[in-house]
Amino acid sequence: MTATFNDRIDIALTVNGEAVTARVPAGQHLTDFLRLELGLTGAHASCEHGVCGACTVQVDGQAVRGCLMLAAQAEGSTVWTIEGLTDTGVVADLQAEFVARNALQCGFCTPGMLVAAQDLLCTAMAQGGEVPDRAAIREHLSGNYCRCTGYEAIVDAISAVAEARHAGTAA
Amino acid sequence: MKASVGGYARATDLRHALDLLAAGDGSARILAGGQSLIAALNMRLSTGDLLIDINRIDALKGITCDGSRLRIGALTRHAEIAVDPLVARHAPLLRKATDVIAHAAIRNRGTIGGAVAHADPAAEFPACVLALDGIIHVEGPDGARDIPAADFFVDVFETTIAPDEILTAISLPVAEPDERQVIHEFGRRSGDYALAGVCLVRRAAGHRIVCISVATRPELATAAMARLDAGDPDGAVAALEEALDPPSDTQATAAYRRHLAGVMLRRAVADITGETA
Ligand SMILES: Cc1cc2nc3c(=O)[nH]c(=O)nc-3n(C[C@H](O)[C@H](O)[C@H](O)COP(=O)(O)OP(=O)(O)OC[C@H]3O[C@@H](n4cnc5c(N)ncnc54)[C@H](O)[C@@H]3O)c2cc1C
């Protein structure tokens, strides 16, 4: 095996259910790739060091920071952004509840919030169906900044969806 | 800001990664979870790096136990450590640490090998590995080396891994039946690096204490350990505060950090003795 570094890397991955191939610069992070190459501007590039959470997307079923993963590393992976999660309707209940409770104002953090919330609800429901309490919701959102709402309405919205989904699975 | 990277290579196995490291001629950097490295690259703390992505190397993954030692592959993610039954049973300190390391999305990517190699004095895993008297396993062009945690951490972000070596695994003695392992720390917000923290282990041979965020590297607090062995928790807190010379920064003054470390030690002692601090 020859040892070589490349400054452009060919990748093939699935984004929001569609096969994508591209040649990406070595240093380009996943969020920039999604935004600049694929026009998926839902995930935001903000702090770019993992603190704010606005870039959070789903990779292979897990919430990750799009700004702390290189596009080159996404080779072979399955990526879902807020656009795809919206189209398939898997976060429709969260979105409706965010709107109903004013859990967003400027909306900048919302795509990342929704991916983080969906991550919590899927993980919690997978681990025995326990409904996360407000403390667990706050803990899970500790890596997602919102500068408008003061978080209270966001926690309300996620809590309501957690209850509703639990009731739905129990029924 | 945007990273300025010299190149990228996806290593297929450990040998390939070591060859790439040699070929990189000093500019090569191992890319594990990327949760510290890519952040640093985005901030342009470093430019022109040749990145060796080790995420596809299966030999660096997985957790095994041979009865006396627990071995954790370098690429094991924080989120995996959080739910692994072998870790919960044999090294509960690491499981507890995952509750206070960063946020869920970061724990999904960050690796224990990356955290230990990065050697941030504010990070939990380096302190845990020393508190548990672990061994850091590395591999280089001349073969493998086993480095006791006590000989591994040198300074802020500095270890005794040679530039041509890769951290492959961490191993720990399995907890004794009566062993207690706790971590207590204080941060401003959930998931932040702690302002100060304490790992406390009580095993047959005695207590082991390692602090977080109060020195340039994880170190055993030997004077405080001796006081705890003598059954003197007040003396241990006094000895710990006496021995510490923590940094002052925008987050906390040295005096506050020293005080917090003492409070965290009190809580840790209360935790393992079942009393309230
Ligand atoms: C917002 C935020 C908050 C965080 N909070 C915390 C916290 O509270 N506590 C905490 O402990 N950490 C925290 N982290 C850091 C996180 O835990 C990192 O995952 C970890 O420190 C580094 O692991 P990594 O696998 O991501 O390594 P990388 O970022 O990939 O690498 C880090 C360094 O280690 C080197 N390296 C990695 N793997 C190896 C190897 N196998 N052999 C040799 N060298 C290697 C790399 O070359 C690089 O220099 C936080 C990170 C972020 C972004």
Side-chain angles (χ1 to χ4, degrees), chain B:
Chain B
M1 234 189 293
K2 304 298 174 191
S4 169
V5 162
Y8 169 94
R10 198 176 293 132
T12 49
D13 56 27
L14 194 54
R15 171 53 42 204
H16 185 206
L18 289 169
D19 288 348
L20 286 163
L21 206 46
D25 202 20
S27 298
R29 290 283 284 270
I30 302 294
L31 172 59
Q35 303 303 288
S36 296
L37 180 54
I38 297 182
L41 296 176
N42 286 347
M43 289 190 268
R44 297 222 178 174
L45 298 180
S46 173
T47 58
D49 299 73
L50 300 171
L51 303 179
I52 305 168
D53 184 352
I54 60 171
N55 283 271
R56 309 278 159 139
I57 306 180
D58 288 334
L60 299 179
K61 298 175 185 170
I63 302 174
T64 54
C65 184
D66 69 0
S68 66
R69 294 192 78 80
L70 182 72
R71 190 180 167 97
I72 305 177
L75 266 180
T76 310
R77 317 271 172 197
H78 306 344
E80 291 168 335
I81 289 175
V83 297
D84 186 83
L86 288 174
V87 172
R89 174 143 178 240
H90 299 301
L93 186 64
L94 295 182
R95 216 251 356 108
K96 292 174 186 174
T98 59
D99 287 343
V100 291
I101 299 177
H103 316 287
I106 287 156
R107 294 193 293 267
N108 283 339
R109 293 290 298 170
T111 68
I112 191 166
V116 170
H118 193 49
D120 186 333
E124 286 80 3
F125 281 152
C128 292
V129 170
L130 178 58
L132 295 172
D133 200 13
I135 292 175
I136 289 102
H137 304 277
V138 304
E139 189 135 338
D142 304 326
R145 285 201 299 146
D146 301 332
I147 311 169
D151 301 331
F152 186 76
F153 301 104
V154 177
D155 205 337
V156 181
F157 305 141
E158 206 184 317
T159 71
T160 49
I161 303 184
D164 57 358
E165 287 176 327
I166 292 176
L167 195 163
T168 53
I170 283 142
S171 71
L172 309 158
V174 299
E176 298 162 2
D178 294 330
E179 184 163 326
R180 296 299 313 273
Q181 306 178 357
V182 297
I183 177 168
H184 282 263
E185 64 171 52
F186 187 84
R188 288 192 190 281
R189 288 166 310 192
S190 180
D192 277 7
Y193 285 101
L195 297 180
V198 165
C199 298
L200 171 61
V201 174
R202 187 187 68 199
R203 47 176 67 151
H207 293 83
R208 294 176 67 87
I209 302 170
V210 179
C211 292
I212 298 164
S213 278
V214 290
T216 55
R217 60 172 186 159
E219 278 170 302
L220 285 169
T222 48
M225 284 155 48
R227 294 318 308 153
L228 277 191
D229 288 345
D232 174 15
D234 290 338
V237 170
L240 183 69
E241 291 181 359
E242 164 77 25
L244 292 180
D245 180 20
S248 276
D249 56 31
T250 52
Q251 302 277 321
T253 62
Y256 181 46
R257 279 210 163 86
R258 190 181 298 116
H259 171 73
L260 272 181
V263 174
M264 293 305 121
L265 179 57
R266 264 188 213 290
R267 289 185 186 172
V269 171
D271 192 352
I272 63 170
T273 56
E275 290 156 20
T276 43

Side-chain angles (χ1 to χ4, degrees), chain A residues 64-132:
Chain A
V64 306
R65 294 284 194 258
C67 74
L68 295 186
M69 179 173 180
L70 298 178
Q73 293 184 281
E75 159 69 20
S77 64
T78 299
V79 178
W80 286 92
T81 68
I82 191 60
E83 290 88 347
L85 297 173
T86 301
D87 289 346
T88 61
V90 291
V91 293
D93 51 357
L94 279 166
Q95 288 166 319
E97 209 62 44
F98 266 57
V99 171
R101 293 170 185 270
N102 278 332
L104 68 158
Q105 185 178 311
C106 81
F108 190 83
C109 72
T110 312
M113 283 287 176
L114 290 168
V115 174
Q118 177 69 2
D119 185 55
L120 169 68
L121 297 185
C122 291
T123 314
M125 300 301 168
Q127 286 169 0
E130 214 179 291
V131 180

Side-chain angles (χ1 to χ4, degrees), chain A residues 121 125 131-133 156-170:
Chain A
L121 297 185
M125 300 301 168
V131 180
D133 60 15
D156 291 344
I158 296 169
S159 185
V161 172
E163 297 284 352
R165 285 196 192 177
H166 183 72
T169 52

Side-chain angles (χ1 to χ4, degrees), chain A:
Chain A
M1 177 76 56
T2 50
T4 46
F5 295 93
N6 296 304
D7 55 13
R8 304 212 150 243
I9 298 96
D10 292 322
I11 56 170
L13 66 163
T14 308
V15 180
N16 295 335
E18 284 177 35
V20 172
T21 56
R23 173 164 292 193
V24 296
Q28 184 174 55
H29 58 61
L30 180 60
T31 305
D32 274 352
F33 171 69
L34 294 168
R35 292 176 60 83
L36 305 175
E37 308 306 324
L38 305 186
L40 297 167
T41 54
H44 292 139
S46 180
C47 79
E48 297 188 295
H49 59 277
V51 174
C52 78
C55 66
T56 310
V57 293
Q58 238 182 46
V59 177
D60 294 331
Q62 291 189 314
V64 306
R65 294 284 194 258
C67 74
L68 295 186
M69 179 173 180
L70 298 178
Q73 293 184 281
E75 159 69 20
S77 64
T78 299
V79 178
W80 286 92
T81 68
I82 191 60
E83 290 88 347
L85 297 173
T86 301
D87 289 346
T88 61
V90 291
V91 293
D93 51 357
L94 279 166
Q95 288 166 319
E97 209 62 44
F98 266 57
V99 171
R101 293 170 185 270
N102 278 332
L104 68 158
Q105 185 178 311
C106 81
F108 190 83
C109 72
T110 312
M113 283 287 176
L114 290 168
V115 174
Q118 177 69 2
D119 185 55
L120 169 68
L121 297 185
C122 291
T123 314
M125 300 301 168
Q127 286 169 0
E130 214 179 291
V131 180
D133 60 15
R134 296 182 74 83
I137 294 170
R138 283 190 177 276
E139 173 61 36
H140 203 85
L141 296 184
S142 65
N144 291 74
Y145 284 5
C146 172
R147 303 282 83 148
C148 302
T149 65
Y151 302 98
E152 206 59 27
I154 294 175
V155 178
D156 291 344
I158 296 169
S159 185
V161 172
E163 297 284 352
R165 285 196 192 177
H166 183 72
T169 52

